Amino acid sequence: MSEIPLILGTLPVPGHVVKKSGIYWLYPDNYLCRKNQVVGFCNISLESMPGNAVAQPPFAGEADLQVAFAAPVDGRLRIDHETSFGGYLNFLGSQLWDSRTVIAYLTPSEAIPGLMPANLMEMNLLMLAGKLMTGLANYGTSMLPGWHSQVRAWWKGPAKLTKTLLTLGICDAQGPVLGDQGAFLEFFEDADFPCHLVNVQNELMVPCAQCLIEQFFRTEDDFNSIADDIRQHIFHGMVKPTVEDYFFAGCLLTALQDSPVRRSYDIVVDGGYQRSPAPSYILLSSHAEPLQILRHKKLGYHLRIYQFRIEQMGAASRAWLNQAFEIIPRTIADIKSDYIRLFSAFRSHTKAQFIILNQMSTSGREDLAFYTPFDAPMGNILVHVAAKEMNLMLDELQEQAGISVIDVDAIAAELGGGHHLPDGIHQSGVMQKRIRTELLKLMY
Amino acid sequence: MIFNLIIPKLNEYMKSARIEALYVTIGEQLLSGSKVLDMSVDLSNVFAQNCPPISYHRVVLREKLWVRKLLIQPGSYCNPDDCIALLSSEPTEALDQAIARPARIMVAGIVYHPEMWSGSHA
């Protein structure tokens, strides 16, 4: 079977010139690649054409723009090494994007009807966009490098994208969506329909329903009050702030500033670029829901921050948390009520389907012979009783509120939680694939 | 008879545990069902990680014994199978005799609570 030249293909961004860096190839020559398996990537930049009347450039705020390349069919890849420039030229967008540029050759594994030896094939282009937490956190020699508050991806294809999955979860939701390299590669290799994925990453504020509701309704005045309080107590309080405190304040304010549900996004497709519609699916982690939450005594807003993050904070931030917040216990009924309010709030803006991951509710590590040492309600103490109650509540929500639940509990039980979900949250690759498969079924 | 209380290895990846709460004192008589300690296990403790897989566990005694010696305090780090306490079947038995066997315990996964050592030392 003869080799087919693979070309870059078109990347239309009206009013702009697209420039690309050299290509990082992820596999060696003669690699037998699968259809839609990403084999290389480059950075791109957009330069406005003279006279371009577009007021706001596309992808505003998304400093990391990349294109990842995948073969359109299974086959053996031969790379044109001239496409990789090395050094900074593999990082900087220094070369014009020319759709006819041949970047590799493919010997298809199976004959392609009607394809002549002289024919060219376009690479499938996976578009990647990252919004940096700060412009200082930009370092780039991998896919979606740097520290992002949001990353997203989609295939550049002929179809108008109508399906957007917004992930507002923690590790158990992000892992199956982002995959091993944090760039959605496994998801897009498995997905055989057009879709757009958005993953919101927030290292500091755990996205529980109560915090997401407040984030959704927070006004500019509310935000300014929070910022003033932080400024007064962390930067001008009794404890001298350290570098860690400045980072903490910046991260927290970034998380509190706006709701990802209200955002819209630029997407490049064959016909040009479009604004994405509101999310059609929202993925949440039930693990984000706490049995205790912090509430600001004066301003009334809530925070859910992991204990290990609190240990990493500066002393001034911890002093502020200790003084300004109180710990509020929450029950499963409270969490259910939060979820219902969240669905109602988000549905005022989007018709998104909610998908929630439930929890593994058993552990081979436990050897409980009797329950008398534990006071009722045991769900407040025993983590697997709490998980069972959470899962039951999610089943009720599935019936009552029309949401979808991915049964992580059943998947872990089938695969073996001790090996595939050792801490109850962070899955193995095998388990991530199973969760991804369930997610794709819901989205198809 | 003298019994030792050892840190159970809960998982093949577990390298150590941090004592988060200690509920017993020397000289105290414990009954079957008495809570002994809470501990946290960080499965990533061999290297720093962005979101460490930390879980919390409570150790509960399954027999009636006296607390004679404690080798840990809240905040202590222990390895699996470390002896952390000596217990006896009678309140004043000599401790210089051979250990009969490990004390019978059970372990439950628990929800994080603010009284844990990490909550007050962060």
Side-chain angles (χ1 to χ4, degrees):
Chain A
M1 210 171 296
S2 56
E3 278 189 339
I4 300 163
L6 297 173
I7 59 171
L8 283 175
T10 58
L11 195 58
V13 184
H16 291 79
V17 172
V18 180
K19 289 196 166 180
K20 62 177 276 295
S21 68
I23 298 174
Y24 286 94
W25 292 102
L26 301 171
Y27 298 98
D29 253 340
N30 291 316
Y31 178 73
L32 191 59
C33 61
R34 303 180 298 274
K35 177 189 174 186
N36 284 345
Q37 180 187 14
V38 166
V39 292
F41 68 96
C42 68
N43 296 332
I44 61 168
S45 58
L46 306 178
E47 288 181 13
S48 185
M49 287 178 178
N52 178 19
V54 178
Q56 189 181 12
F59 305 102
E62 294 181 303
D64 276 347
L65 289 177
Q66 294 180 314
V67 178
F69 303 101
V73 293
D74 293 356
R76 195 167 293 283
L77 190 74
R78 184 165 67 83
I79 292 164
D80 180 348
H81 291 284
E82 296 293 311
T83 57
S84 184
F85 312 139
Y88 285 115
L89 301 188
N90 264 9
F91 174 67
L92 303 169
S94 57
Q95 190 184 54
L96 276 177
W97 182 281
D98 179 352
S99 61
R100 304 287 291 176
T101 305
V102 175
I103 59 170
Y105 301 85
L106 189 78
T107 306
S109 299
E110 292 178 8
I112 303 171
L115 190 75
M116 305 298 288
N119 286 152
L120 305 170
M121 289 182 86
E122 287 190 9
M123 294 294 280
N124 286 348
L125 305 183
L126 181 66
M127 309 300 299
L128 301 164
K131 187 175 179 181
L132 292 165
M133 279 292 283
T134 157
L136 299 172
N138 185 11
Y139 47 92
T141 52
S142 62
M143 274 181 284
L144 290 173
W147 180 22
H148 296 103
S149 59
Q150 171 193 286
V151 288
R152 54 196 192 91
W154 67 98
W155 285 120
K156 190 222 69 164
K160 186 176 179 185
L161 288 171
T162 55
K163 292 180 177 179
T164 291
L165 169 70
L166 172 62
T167 302
L168 293 175
I170 56 172
C171 296
D172 60 337
Q174 293 187 5
V177 174
L178 288 173
D180 286 353
Q181 297 186 58
F184 308 97
L185 303 191
E186 294 85 350
F187 194 103
F188 279 100
E189 195 180 337
D190 292 345
D192 54 0
F193 56 88
C195 57
H196 169 225
L197 303 189
V198 183
N199 184 68
V200 173
Q201 308 183 151
N202 199 294
E203 277 72 17
L204 201 49
M205 191 194 82
V206 181
C208 67
Q210 177 68 42
C211 292
L212 291 173
I213 294 167
E214 290 172 2
Q215 191 186 44
F216 185 77
F217 286 116
R218 185 165 289 127
T219 64
E220 196 175 337
D221 285 347
D222 295 337
F223 178 75
N224 288 337
S225 298
I226 292 171
D228 286 345
D229 179 64
I230 288 174
R231 196 162 31 242
Q232 184 183 341
H233 288 95
I234 296 182
F235 300 146
H236 302 293
M238 299 295 286
V239 181
K240 189 178 175 187
T242 63
V243 171
E244 293 300 330
D245 293 304
Y246 288 96
F247 275 119
F248 166 78
C251 290
L252 184 61
L253 290 172
T254 299
L256 297 174
Q257 196 160 22
D258 73 323
S259 170
V261 176
R262 294 189 188 275
R263 295 176 195 158
S264 63
Y265 311 92
D266 292 319
I267 299 174
V268 173
V269 290
D270 277 350
Y273 71 90
Q274 64 174 76
R275 297 292 285 174
S276 75
S280 32
Y281 304 91
I282 296 176
L283 179 62
L284 302 167
S285 306
S286 63
H287 270 297
E289 299 303 322
L291 293 173
Q292 291 132 8
I293 195 166
L294 296 173
R295 183 172 66 194
H296 195 281
K297 292 174 190 168
K298 188 173 141 203
L299 299 174
Y301 71 98
H302 294 77
L303 277 184
R304 159 98 158 108
I305 300 177
Y306 288 125
Q307 181 59 34
F308 76 90
R309 292 281 181 221
I310 294 174
E311 292 178 37
Q312 293 167 344
M313 282 175 191
S317 311
R318 283 202 300 270
W320 172 67
L321 279 183
N322 286 332
Q323 288 162 15
F325 288 82
E326 56 191 339
I327 297 172
I328 306 295
R330 297 166 83 247
T331 64
I332 296 293
D334 294 332
I335 294 169
K336 183 179 181 183
S337 167
D338 289 347
Y339 269 136
I340 290 170
R341 288 190 299 122
L342 179 78
F343 304 151
S344 171
F346 283 10
R347 280 171 177 157
S348 68
H349 185 76
T350 166
K351 293 186 172 21
Q353 180 185 347
F354 292 89
I355 304 169
I356 304 182
L357 298 173
N358 76 6
Q359 303 181 8
M360 186 174 76
S361 68
T362 52
S363 169
R365 295 181 227 165
E366 286 191 338
D367 54 358
L368 279 176
F370 49 92
Y371 284 85
T372 47
F374 305 102
D375 296 332
M378 282 189 284
N380 288 355
I381 303 170
L382 295 173
V383 72
H384 292 110
V385 173
K388 284 182 174 65
E389 291 175 354
M390 178 72 82
N391 291 354
L392 279 172
M393 182 271 285
L394 292 175
D395 284 350
E396 289 170 12
L397 281 178
Q398 199 165 217
E399 297 268 317
Q400 296 164 6
I403 62 153
S404 299
V405 175
I406 293 181
D407 197 349
V408 172
D409 198 19
I411 296 170
E414 186 188 329
L415 294 176
H419 188 65
H420 290 281
L421 197 60
D423 68 334
I425 293 181
H426 299 90
Q427 317 100 340
S428 68
V430 171
M431 186 159 177
Q432 287 187 351
K433 185 169 178 61
R434 284 289 302 276
I435 293 171
R436 199 159 47 240
T437 302
E438 295 300 315
L439 191 54
L440 285 164
K441 277 187 210 165
L442 289 167
M443 291 176 64
Y444 187 68
Chain B
M1 284 194 291
I2 304 299
F3 306 90
N4 59 357
L5 185 64
I6 60 171
I7 289 289
K9 187 172 176 69
L10 300 177
N11 184 291
E12 60 183 301
Y13 307 110
M14 175 179 166
K15 296 284 190 287
S16 69
R18 182 165 73 186
I19 306 301
E20 293 283 355
L22 187 60
Y23 296 108
V24 299
T25 54
I26 292 171
E28 183 183 356
Q29 185 186 29
L30 304 180
L31 305 175
S32 176
S34 294
K35 58 184 181 184
V36 179
L37 60 89
D38 294 342
M39 62 184 188
S40 58
V41 174
D42 180 350
L43 296 180
S44 69
N45 55 10
V46 286
F47 60 95
Q49 194 167 306
N50 179 37
C51 179
I54 300 172
S55 54
Y56 301 94
H57 306 268
R58 178 164 295 171
V59 174
V60 173
L61 199 64
R62 283 201 293 127
E63 56 188 326
K64 184 176 165 182
L65 294 173
W66 296 82
V67 182
R68 303 298 307 283
K69 191 170 184 182
L70 290 170
L71 304 169
I72 47 142
Q73 58 188 357
S76 300
Y77 282 88
C78 312
N79 297 320
D81 299 327
D82 275 359
C83 172
I84 55 166
L86 293 177
L87 304 108
S88 61
S89 50
E90 299 299 330
T92 55
E93 275 177 276
L95 289 177
D96 57 355
Q97 54 186 304
I99 304 290
R101 60 170 168 77
R104 294 188 175 108
I105 57 170
M106 59 184 188
V107 182
I110 59 168
V111 175
Y112 177 82
H113 57 82
E115 289 75 37
M116 289 190 184
W117 181 87
S118 51
S120 56
H121 287 76

